[in-house]
Amino acid sequence: MTELIDTPIVELDIGGKTRRFDIDDPKLPDWVEDEALASGGYPYDKKLKREHYKKELEALQIELVKAQLSINASGKRVMAVFEGRDAAGKGGTIFTIRSFLNPRSAHVVALTKPTETEAGQWYFQRYVSHFPTKGEIVLFDRSWYNRAGVEPIMGFATPEQHQHFLKVAPTFEDLLVEDGIHFFKFWLNIGREMQLKRFHDRRHDPLKIWKLSPMDVAALTKWKDYSEKRDLMLEKTHSEKAPWTVVRANDKRRARLNIIRHILTSIDYEGKDKDAIGEIDDKILGFGPDAFK
């Protein structure tokens, strides 16, 4: 396979053991394969069966279509940000939510790094221009929360900028909710071995290799740094008006179903079928910094 990025062999401290990981080796190490699903304290020992997933997902996607029609008619504004470590499943979840929605009023925002002009503006400014107008749904694949994690870790933001962001973000988000936007914040949480497995899958799948970036590779040895920044972010920016919904995402199927259920449960819309939505699994979905402690 063509070498697209520098992918060095790394030694990782996992559970007090030093593990050698070569992402270029086509064979996934047994210790990754064996521990991936259970990593990070995941509560299930098997993935949700595909047939079960497809049946439940279809019912939920029908409800999403009904919800969108009602949102269009009522002029409601709905916005969600999806955050998480690299390979947590943000893009796939957004794709699943949007698959059968009218793209004219359901938009995905996945911004590249700031331009020189944007870098000189108020930090939130380039995101605000993508916010929903009446009748729209906007889904952010990463958001202003770059400043809470990747930017300070990778040296793109100073400690002072990081601390300032954590201070002002809750006020900024409270204003959005007070203005009538239905606002969701999702943190997709995965275990370390699961992240390694997904990185490896991307490296050796010609249809997915574009998803593996130099930043992903650089993050391989920064698990602890990202964990600390995540915990601080959840502590400082979880609020009553704009709470964090934390999702155990080692099994993408369970994660997607429960995220959609949460959105549908939280919005009033014409023709809502509560039986079709079903019950949220509280082993998969929790709230705030103490979600799964």
Side-chain angles (χ1 to χ4, degrees):
M1 180 175 290
T2 303
E3 185 77 14
L4 296 182
I5 56 177
D6 182 26
T7 53
I9 300 172
V10 294
E11 290 190 349
L12 307 172
D13 182 1
I14 300 179
K17 296 181 180 179
T18 300
R19 299 287 198 179
R20 183 176 180 274
F21 184 69
D22 181 2
I23 199 171
D24 286 332
D25 187 341
K27 185 181 184 306
L28 183 69
D30 291 341
W31 59 271
V32 176
E33 184 70 58
D34 294 343
E35 298 297 329
L37 186 61
S39 61
Y42 193 72
Y44 292 100
D45 57 8
K46 292 182 180 179
K47 291 183 178 180
L48 186 67
K49 291 183 178 179
R50 182 180 297 275
E51 57 270 24
H52 189 181
Y53 169 69
K54 291 177 69 175
K55 180 180 179 181
E56 293 195 12
L57 179 60
E58 181 178 6
L60 291 172
Q61 287 176 324
I62 291 171
E63 290 298 304
L64 282 170
V65 171
K66 289 158 59 175
Q68 185 185 30
L69 290 172
S70 182
I71 289 165
N72 293 160
S74 65
K76 290 179 180 178
R77 293 170 291 162
V78 177
M79 185 167 70
V81 300
F82 292 83
E83 294 289 346
R85 298 180 191 270
D86 297 314
K90 301 177 293 295
T93 299
I94 291 170
F95 176 83
T96 302
I97 292 170
R98 190 170 175 264
S99 291
F100 295 98
L101 299 183
N102 185 340
R104 292 180 179 177
S105 60
H107 309 296
V108 177
V109 181
L111 301 183
T112 59
K113 67 179 182 180
T115 65
E116 183 176 350
T117 298
E118 289 170 336
Q121 296 173 339
W122 177 49
Y123 182 72
F124 297 97
Q125 187 166 336
R126 72 186 191 123
Y127 298 101
V128 171
S129 63
H130 296 278
F131 282 8
T133 188
K134 62 180 183 178
E136 285 189 340
I137 300 168
V138 175
L139 309 172
F140 278 87
D141 187 345
R142 292 198 179 280
S143 68
W144 46 94
Y145 278 100
N146 284 331
R147 180 139 292 182
V150 64
E151 289 186 15
I153 290 171
M154 294 300 180
F156 302 137
T158 66
E160 291 76 18
Q161 289 173 322
H162 175 225
Q163 290 300 318
H164 179 71
F165 172 84
L166 295 176
K167 178 181 178 180
V168 301
T171 301
F172 171 69
E173 292 167 358
D174 284 353
L175 291 173
L176 306 182
V177 177
E178 289 170 5
D179 197 56
I181 293 177
H182 295 267
F183 181 49
F184 299 90
K185 297 189 299 190
F186 294 102
W187 175 268
L188 277 64
N189 208 61
I190 56 173
R192 195 171 194 185
E193 288 87 346
M194 180 55 76
Q195 186 188 52
L196 294 173
K197 182 180 187 303
R198 292 180 182 175
F199 278 175
H200 188 271
D201 290 345
R202 292 177 176 186
R203 183 70 181 95
H204 298 280
D205 185 337
L207 296 177
K208 295 181 179 180
I209 194 168
W210 63 271
K211 293 184 175 184
L212 187 69
S213 72
M215 294 293 288
D216 295 337
V217 175
L220 282 173
T221 58
K222 297 182 181 294
W223 181 269
K224 183 179 179 181
D225 293 335
Y226 274 97
S227 296
E228 291 173 350
K229 291 295 189 293
R230 173 204 61 199
D231 292 347
L232 183 61
M233 177 197 75
L234 292 175
E235 176 190 346
K236 297 295 185 180
T237 64
H238 176 71
S239 70
E240 182 179 354
K241 292 180 181 177
W244 275 106
T245 302
V246 182
V247 187
R248 292 192 187 272
N250 280 3
D251 179 1
K252 295 179 181 179
R253 296 168 186 166
R254 285 191 174 93
R256 293 168 184 171
L257 293 177
N258 282 280
I259 286 170
I260 296 172
R261 285 188 180 115
H262 176 60
I263 293 172
L264 293 171
T265 299
S266 304
I267 299 175
D268 291 327
Y269 60 91
E270 188 175 348
K272 177 186 284 192
D273 185 341
K274 293 183 179 180
D275 290 334
I277 295 171
E279 297 293 328
I280 291 171
D281 184 347
D282 60 10
K283 293 181 180 179
I284 297 298
L285 191 150
F287 299 94
D290 299 324
F292 298 117
K293 290 183 180 178

